[in-house]
Amino acid sequence: MRPRAGCCLRSWKPRPKGRGAVTDEYLPIIKLHELLDMPPNNPGFEEGIMVILESDNQRAALFVDDLVGQSQVVIKSLEANYRKVDGVSGATILGTGRVALILDVSELIGMHKTRSKLHLKSMLA
């Protein structure tokens, strides 16, 4: 994952058994691999990294496998060049030739809220 400028407030590696509070508020945890329907590299919270994100006055903790780093890139729209991809605002080609997706934090938080509501409704039905 490459954090987008201005949206990443801080990150931390949780301690064993999920301990490691860094704020005085409860934040929803968004498991990126679940939201994007991908298999996890690190199934447990103690093996990944939590990234606190903020967008449109909404905060969430994004659980990711690893942080690759930060770099200046030119972002190309996926929708204009390919199609709309939920949770992704664009893409860029790295110096290595690999393609990196640029995540849309606001949309990821919205997707998580929608899935959480649907999950709760199915549990109550």
Side-chain angles (χ1 to χ4, degrees):
M1 181 194 131
R2 289 187 183 278
R4 193 169 177 188
C7 69
C8 178
L9 300 176
R10 68 178 70 128
S11 64
W12 85 94
K13 191 165 182 73
R15 294 183 201 146
K17 300 190 180 181
R19 296 188 190 118
V22 294
T23 68
D24 58 350
E25 63 184 307
Y26 290 100
L27 298 174
I29 296 175
I30 301 172
K31 296 178 184 177
L32 187 60
H33 65 272
E34 285 181 2
L35 207 56
L36 300 179
D37 295 322
M38 298 175 64
N41 287 336
N42 299 317
F45 285 126
E46 62 276 358
E47 297 174 29
I49 296 172
M50 293 285 184
V51 181
I52 298 178
L53 306 173
E54 183 175 52
S55 180
D56 300 329
N57 292 323
Q58 299 179 82
R59 293 175 66 152
L62 184 67
F63 178 69
V64 298
D65 297 327
D66 196 10
L67 290 177
V68 176
Q70 200 172 28
S71 56
Q72 298 286 326
V73 296
V74 176
I75 300 172
K76 297 288 186 180
S77 167
L78 274 185
E79 197 167 354
N81 295 299
Y82 176 58
R83 66 176 175 85
K84 172 79 173 111
V85 178
D86 293 336
V88 177
S89 63
T92 190
I93 299 174
L94 303 174
T96 61
R98 294 180 63 189
V99 175
L101 299 177
I102 309 300
L103 301 177
D104 184 327
V105 172
S106 183
E107 193 169 336
L108 288 176
I109 293 172
M111 289 168 61
H112 175 72
K113 284 183 177 181
T114 300
R115 284 192 181 193
S116 295
K117 286 178 186 176
L118 291 174
H119 180 69
L120 182 60
K121 282 183 182 178
S122 69
M123 289 177 56
L124 297 174

